[in-house]
Amino acid sequence: MRNSTEIKILIKYLARFLIVLVMLDILFGLILGLILEKQTKGNYAKFNKVFFDDCFDTMVVGNSRAERQFVSEILRDSLNKTVFNAGLGGRDIYFFNAVLDGLNQRCKPKTIILEFSWSDLKVPIKKDRVEFFAPYYNKLPQINSYIDENKIIDKILLQSALIRYNSTLWDLLSASLVDEEMKLGYRPLFGNLLVRKIEKKEKVEPILKQIPENLNWYKSFINKCQELNIKLILVNSPHYFDGAVFSQGSKQDFLDFLKKQKVQFITYENNKTFKQNQELFHDIRHLNDTGARIFTAQLAHKLKKIL
Amino acid sequence: MLFNSISYIVFFLCVCLFFFSLKHKYRWVLLLAASYFFYGYWKFEYLILIVFSTIIDYLLALQIERSKSNNNKKVFLYISIIVNLTVLIFFKYANFIGSSIAYILQEEELTNNLIHDFLLPVGISFYTFQSMSYTIDVYKKSRKAERHLGIFALYVTFFPQLVAGPIERSTTLLPQFYERKEIDSLRIINGLEQVLRGFFKKLVVADRLAIYVDTIYNNYEMHSGSSLLLATIFFAFQIYCDFSGYSDIAIGSARILGYDLMENFRRPYFSKSIKSFWSRWHISLSTWFRDYLYIPLGGNRVVKWRVYYNIFIVFLVSGLWHGANWTFVVWGALHGLFLVIESLFKVPKIEFKSGVFTGFFVFKTFILVCLAWIFFRSENINQAIAIVNSIPSLGSVYFGGQSNFIYSAFGLLILLIVELRQEYFKINWLKSRSWRLLKYQLIFILILLFGVFNKGQFIYFQF
C-alpha cells in the first residue's frame, strides 16, 4: 500500500518534470532558431550564407589555414567572379564533405579551392567537429547522417533543441557584438610570429597505407565534386612549419593519387617569398594579413591561367 | 560502463525497475549480476581478477575468525594483504618498477624485458583497498566475518562505487545489504538530485575545463607563464569536479536504490589548511589511510619526529596509490611536506571571524594545493619542473577557443556560487517542491546546453 502511494508520488513528480522540460525545450528551440536565422556575423552567419542565402562562383574550404589565408576580395577582383571563403578553424575533410552535401543544388559553386597541408593526412579525422552543424539538423536533412552517424540514439536525442544547440549559445549571442572582422568569409590575423621553437620533425611513411580513413574522405570529396561538375583545386598554402614531414616518395604517392583523379594541385611548400619569413606569419601555421594578401595575389595570378 | 553514457542510464533504469519489483531475498542476486555486468562491460577478462580477490578475502576472513591463536590470525591476515598487494603491484606497478630499474641501470634493453603489456584493470586500487579493509576489520574484530559469499561479493563489487569509490567500509556497507529497501519517493528524488549535480560537475565544469587544460599542458613549451598558471587553476577545478562529480553520481545512484554511501568531498577548496583539505578531499581514501596505515604506524601516539615521519610516509604511499609514476610520488611527498611544515609551525587556533583572515588562509592553501597539482597533471617530472619555472615569468594569457573559455568560466562561476553558499550561508532558498523542481529543470537545461558529451572517461578510473 505504502509502495503504491510512493510510486504515484514519484510518477507525478517525474511527469511534471518531463512536461515542463519538453515545453522549455520547444521554447528554447524557437528562440534559438530565430537567433540562428538572424545571424549577421560569426560562423553561423557564414554557413547561413553558404547553405541558404547566396550563390558563389568560387568557394574556398578548409580549416583555419583556409579561413585565415585566402583573401576572398583579392580572388574576387582578380578572377572577376563571386568568391566566398567557407573555411572554418579546426575542421577537416569530413566536415567539408558535409558542407558539400549541404550545398543548395541550384546554386553550387563552379570551383572549389580546398586548402591542404601534409599534416591533414596525419591527423585523425575528427567526426565530432561536425556537431557545429547540429543546429541545422532537420533543416538540412542531407547532412543529418554526418551529425547522427546513423545512430538511432543520436537521431532521438537530436530531436531536442537543447541538445542541437549544445555549446552554441555564446557563438549565437555574441557574434554580432564581439566577433572579429570577416570579409566574404576571410578572417585576417594580425601581428608577427614571435615563438620560434620548432618541434622535432617525425617521418611518417608510406602515407597511403597509414591513412585509409583520411584518404577515403578525400576520395569522397573528389567524387562529389566530379558528380556535381565542380572544378576542384587543392592548394598547399604556405607554412612557417608543417608538423608532418613525409619523404618525397610517400608524397609522390598522394600526388599520383590526385593526378589519377584529375585534381589540380598547387603547392607553396618551398616558395621563396614565404620560406622562414617571420614577418609574413602570425604563427607557425598561419600567415598574417600581410602574408595572406601577398599569397592570395600570387595564387590568384596562377588561378587566372587555370580557370 | 561509463556513468556519463546512455548505456549507463539505460542500465541503471533497468536495475531500478527489477530491483523494486523483486522480493528482498533475491535483490542481492540482481545487484551482484548487475555489478559484474557493469564491470565486465569494460573488459570481460578482468572479472576473473575481481572474483579471485573476492574469494580469497572471503575465505581468509573466515579463517581469521575461526583461528584461535593470534599468530594464525596474523598469518591469514598477511596472506590476504600480500595476495591483494601482489595483484595490485603486478598490474599497476610492475611496469613502473621495471622501467625505473632499467633507468637506474641505464639498460634500455632491460626495459623491454621488464615491461608487460597488460591493461590496467579499471578501479583496481579502489576494490583492492575495499576488500583489504574488510579482512583487516575482521582481524581487528571490528566486525564478524561475512558468511554469505554472495553478499560479500556484492560488497566488493557494488556497481555505483566499484571503479572510483567512495571506498566503503564493511562495517557500514555490508549490513545495508541485509536491510529491506522500500520505495521512498523522497529518497529517490534526493538521489536523482545528487546524480544531476554529479553530471553537472562532470559534463559542464570538468570536461569543459579539460579542453583548455589539455591544450596548454600538451604543448606547455609553447605557452606563457600566465597561461600555465590559469591551466593549473583550471586543472584544480577539473579534477575536483571530475572526481566529486563521479562520487555524486555514485552516491546518488546508490541512494535511489536505498543504500547510503559515505560522503567523499566537502568543498575542499574552502579549506584553511592542508590538514583541513585532506579532511574534505577524497574523504574515503584519506580516512582509509588514517585507519589502516597511519594509526598502525603509531599515529600521533609516538615521539614528535616519528609523527612527522608517519605523516610523510602515508602521503608518499597515497601518492603512489594514485599512479605508477614519479609525478604522483612527488605530489604525495609535497602534501606530506606541507602537512609536516604545518604541524611544525602550528599557529594557535584562530577563530576565523574576519573574512580577510579566512580569505588569506583559504588562498594560501589553494596555492599550495595547485603547486602540487602541477606534478599530478604533468607527464613527467621534467615537464612539471619546466612548468613551475615558467609560471613566474607570467606574460600574456592564451584563452583558446573563445566560446569554450566563456563556458568554462560560466560553469566555474556557478560551481563557486553554489559552494560558497553551502560553505558560508547555510540558507535553503528553494524549500518548496515547486522551486526544487524548477532548480532541477535549470540544472538539466544547463547540462544539455553547456555540457561536453564526447569527452568520456573519468580521471580517477586510471587509478
Side-chain angles (χ1 to χ4, degrees):
Chain A
M1 189 62 195
R2 186 177 170 256
N3 267 358
S4 63
T5 321
E6 290 292 312
I7 292 170
K8 272 182 198 163
I9 296 172
L10 201 65
I11 290 176
K12 231 168 116 183
Y13 200 81
L14 291 176
R16 270 168 64 194
F17 179 83
L18 280 175
I19 291 167
V20 179
L21 191 71
V22 169
M23 282 161 61
L24 287 171
D25 190 86
I26 295 169
L27 188 69
F28 266 94
L30 288 172
I31 297 169
L32 293 171
L34 270 176
I35 297 173
L36 176 71
E37 275 176 31
K38 305 277 177 216
Q39 292 290 293
T40 51
K41 277 169 98 180
N43 294 334
Y44 284 104
K46 182 182 253 192
F47 284 94
N48 280 347
K49 257 193 176 58
V50 169
F51 291 137
F52 307 108
D53 299 343
D54 293 331
C55 296
F56 303 98
D57 296 324
T58 303
M59 199 185 281
V60 178
V61 295
N63 56 23
S64 58
R65 289 172 31 77
E67 190 180 20
R68 307 289 195 169
Q69 306 195 141
F70 292 72
V71 187
S72 316
E73 289 169 322
I74 296 178
L75 288 172
R76 178 195 62 192
D77 297 343
S78 304
L79 303 174
N80 210 13
K81 284 177 176 156
T82 54
V83 177
F84 191 74
N85 187 329
L88 189 62
R91 267 66 180 188
D92 56 31
I93 189 69
Y94 178 78
F95 181 90
F96 290 102
N97 267 274
V99 172
L100 207 49
D101 280 349
L103 286 177
N104 187 336
Q105 299 298 315
R106 284 180 296 111
C107 62
K108 56 183 172 47
K110 291 186 185 77
T111 309
I112 285 184
I113 299 169
L114 172 64
E115 204 291 327
F116 168 81
S117 303
W118 290 105
S119 53
D120 295 342
L121 294 177
K122 194 183 132 193
V123 180
I125 294 289
K126 292 183 184 105
K127 290 189 174 175
D128 57 337
R129 299 285 170 96
V130 91
E131 280 167 7
F132 172 83
F133 286 145
Y136 297 126
Y137 194 79
N138 287 344
K139 282 183 188 156
L140 275 174
Q142 63 269 39
I143 63 166
N144 281 3
S145 62
Y146 287 92
I147 304 163
D148 60 30
E149 291 186 64
N150 290 321
K151 289 178 193 158
I152 292 173
I153 191 75
D154 287 2
K155 283 180 201 274
I156 297 168
L157 291 176
L158 281 158
Q159 300 310 314
S160 153
L162 291 167
I163 290 181
R164 284 200 305 275
Y165 287 95
N166 169 271
S167 304
T168 61
L169 202 60
W170 175 255
D171 292 324
L172 289 172
L173 297 180
S174 68
S176 52
L177 301 171
V178 293
D179 219 4
E180 317 156 49
E181 184 185 5
M182 186 159 63
K183 286 171 187 163
L184 293 170
Y186 162 67
R187 232 190 270 250
L189 284 168
F190 299 98
N192 294 346
L193 172 67
L194 294 173
V195 184
R196 277 207 295 169
K197 277 179 191 167
I198 306 293
E199 300 157 36
K200 248 188 172 177
K201 295 186 179 187
E202 55 179 294
K203 276 224 149 69
V204 182
E205 58 181 321
I207 299 177
L208 294 185
K209 279 181 192 161
Q210 289 194 352
I211 49 143
E213 201 194 0
N214 299 38
L215 200 66
N216 284 342
W217 286 111
Y218 273 99
K219 267 185 194 166
S220 152
F221 192 86
I222 291 166
N223 288 340
K224 277 174 201 156
C225 286
Q226 281 167 351
E227 278 166 26
L228 294 167
N229 209 15
I230 297 172
K231 185 170 180 59
L232 176 66
I233 301 165
L234 253 71
V235 179
N236 180 10
S237 61
H239 275 96
Y240 187 81
F241 166 69
D242 185 1
V245 176
F246 299 105
S247 72
Q248 205 49 48
S250 40
K251 275 183 180 176
Q252 198 53 50
D253 287 346
F254 186 71
L255 297 177
D256 290 345
F257 157 74
L258 291 180
K259 209 171 175 183
K260 218 167 115 187
Q261 306 286 331
K262 292 180 182 145
V263 176
Q264 204 110 26
F265 181 74
I266 302 172
T267 181
Y268 282 78
E269 213 174 344
N270 294 312
N271 187 292
K272 281 178 191 162
T273 318
F274 303 100
K275 207 161 189 192
Q276 301 295 305
N277 189 346
Q278 267 177 262
E279 296 295 310
L280 299 180
F281 282 88
H282 171 268
D283 57 52
I284 54 172
R285 282 177 58 77
H286 304 99
L287 292 163
N288 57 25
D289 187 50
T290 316
R293 285 177 184 280
I294 296 171
F295 155 68
T296 314
Q298 285 193 13
L299 177 70
H301 186 70
K302 277 190 188 176
L303 289 176
K304 250 184 184 174
K305 293 176 192 166
I306 301 169
L307 299 173
Chain B
M1 195 181 294
L2 292 170
F3 276 173
N4 51 335
S5 67
I6 298 288
S7 5
Y8 178 72
I9 294 170
V10 175
F11 161 82
F12 187 65
L13 277 175
C14 293
V15 171
C16 286
L17 279 176
F18 284 116
F19 182 81
F20 287 116
S21 12
L22 276 176
K23 281 187 176 167
H24 168 70
K25 59 178 176 181
Y26 302 122
R27 283 178 176 171
W28 71 266
V29 182
L30 171 79
L31 288 181
L32 184 62
S35 300
Y36 280 141
F37 176 79
F38 177 84
Y39 195 66
Y41 200 82
W42 268 290
K43 207 166 165 58
F44 189 75
E45 293 90 309
Y46 286 139
L47 275 178
I48 300 165
L49 213 61
I50 206 165
V51 171
F52 171 75
S53 269
T54 304
I55 293 173
I56 288 288
D57 284 328
Y58 170 78
L59 293 174
L60 287 170
L62 284 175
Q63 287 306 318
I64 291 171
E65 195 176 70
R66 279 174 197 155
S67 302
K68 293 214 167 92
S69 86
N70 266 344
N71 278 347
N72 284 353
K73 280 179 194 284
K74 236 180 214 168
V75 169
F76 289 123
L77 175 68
Y78 286 150
I79 294 173
S80 162
I81 292 174
I82 289 167
V83 170
N84 278 306
L85 291 183
T86 307
V87 172
L88 188 62
I89 289 169
F90 178 76
F91 281 97
K92 192 163 175 175
Y93 300 104
N95 284 349
F96 170 62
I97 297 167
S99 55
S100 297
I101 293 171
Y103 179 79
I104 292 164
L105 299 176
Q106 305 248 309
E107 291 275 349
E108 267 184 39
E109 271 183 31
L110 198 62
T111 314
N112 300 329
N113 298 330
L114 290 175
I115 284 180
H116 64 67
D117 54 2
F118 293 115
L119 273 179
L120 177 68
V122 177
I124 189 169
S125 313
F126 286 92
Y127 71 72
T128 307
F129 267 42
Q130 183 155 316
S131 189
M132 240 160 61
S133 73
Y134 161 75
T135 44
I136 301 172
D137 282 347
V138 171
Y139 172 79
K140 289 193 323 192
K141 294 183 181 160
S142 304
R143 64 155 293 118
K144 288 199 161 192
E146 177 57 51
R147 297 296 191 273
H148 194 307
L149 176 61
I151 297 280
F152 177 68
L154 181 56
Y155 160 72
V156 178
T157 59
F158 186 44
F159 72 85
Q161 46 88 236
L162 170 61
V163 288
I167 304 169
E168 284 296 322
R169 304 302 173 78
S170 56
T171 42
T172 54
L173 186 59
L174 261 170
Q176 291 189 53
F177 294 127
Y178 286 101
E179 291 165 10
R180 192 176 292 276
K181 306 289 177 192
E182 303 286 350
I183 298 181
D184 180 341
S185 60
L186 194 67
R187 203 185 160 83
I188 292 176
I189 291 167
N190 281 340
L192 283 171
E193 183 191 348
Q194 190 144 8
V195 170
L196 211 55
R197 236 185 294 150
F199 277 123
F200 177 84
K201 282 183 185 170
K202 168 69 179 161
L203 301 171
V204 181
V205 188
D207 286 353
R208 187 62 71 182
L209 292 173
I211 299 172
Y212 183 79
V213 175
D214 291 349
T215 308
I216 303 294
Y217 265 75
N218 293 348
N219 289 295
Y220 66 97
E221 315 99 314
M222 310 289 285
H223 292 283
S224 68
S226 303
S227 303
L228 289 165
L229 177 66
L230 188 62
T232 304
I233 293 170
F234 274 11
F235 178 69
F237 286 99
Q238 181 204 337
I239 193 164
Y240 166 55
C241 287
D242 191 282
F243 194 17
S244 73
Y246 181 93
S247 295
D248 282 336
I249 301 170
I251 295 167
S253 301
R255 187 173 297 157
I256 291 168
L257 294 168
Y259 300 97
D260 289 316
L261 301 182
M262 72 185 290
E263 187 187 23
N264 218 11
F265 291 87
R266 206 183 308 121
R267 301 176 294 283
Y269 293 134
F270 288 101
S271 310
K272 298 178 198 94
S273 63
I274 295 291
K275 188 179 173 190
S276 157
F277 175 80
W278 279 103
S279 65
R280 291 158 169 255
W281 178 274
H282 202 175
I283 300 167
S284 65
L285 180 75
S286 44
T287 49
W288 196 102
F289 276 118
R290 181 197 64 202
D291 296 345
Y292 300 109
L293 186 61
Y294 181 68
I295 294 174
L297 281 172
N300 293 334
R301 296 173 183 180
V302 282
V303 286
K304 267 274 176 263
W305 72 265
R306 181 69 203 209
V307 174
Y308 302 141
Y309 173 80
N310 290 347
I311 292 173
F312 196 74
I313 289 295
V314 165
F315 277 90
L316 215 57
V317 176
S318 164
L320 205 56
W321 177 91
H322 280 82
N325 193 329
W326 287 107
T327 51
F328 296 116
V329 178
V330 174
W331 172 78
L334 278 174
H335 274 280
L337 196 70
F338 296 153
L339 266 171
V340 169
I341 294 170
E342 238 175 49
S343 311
L344 275 170
F345 303 99
K346 220 175 195 170
V347 188
K349 256 198 172 171
I350 305 166
E351 274 296 312
F352 289 104
K353 278 183 182 161
S354 152
V356 180
F357 269 117
T358 306
F360 171 76
F361 282 101
V362 168
F363 180 70
K364 174 218 74 177
T365 308
F366 183 69
I367 295 293
L368 292 177
V369 170
C370 281
L371 175 67
W373 282 138
I374 295 175
F375 288 85
F376 195 96
R377 175 59 182 79
S378 297
E379 297 292 319
N380 50 54
I381 300 283
N382 289 342
Q383 180 183 344
I385 291 170
I387 291 171
V388 172
N389 286 337
S390 299
I391 286 177
S393 66
L394 294 174
S396 60
V397 186
Y398 169 75
F399 290 105
Q402 192 189 51
S403 54
N404 185 61
F405 195 84
I406 297 287
Y407 299 140
S408 302
F410 177 66
L412 208 52
L413 188 72
I414 293 177
L415 177 87
L416 286 175
I417 291 171
V418 170
E419 296 220 332
L420 207 71
R421 186 186 71 81
Q422 289 172 345
E423 182 73 18
Y424 297 115
F425 313 99
K426 300 196 183 343
I427 323 154
N428 198 352
W429 292 329
L430 310 169
K431 265 184 187 166
S432 82
R433 274 200 168 186
S434 304
W435 277 113
R436 284 181 70 185
L437 190 73
L438 206 68
K439 184 176 82 175
Y440 303 151
Q441 305 274 3
L442 187 68
I443 302 175
F444 207 84
I445 289 171
L446 288 176
I447 292 172
L448 294 183
L449 271 181
F450 302 111
V452 177
F453 294 104
N454 51 13
K455 199 77 181 140
Q457 197 133 319
F458 288 83
I459 297 175
Y460 262 69
F461 277 19
Q462 60 184 299
F463 308 137

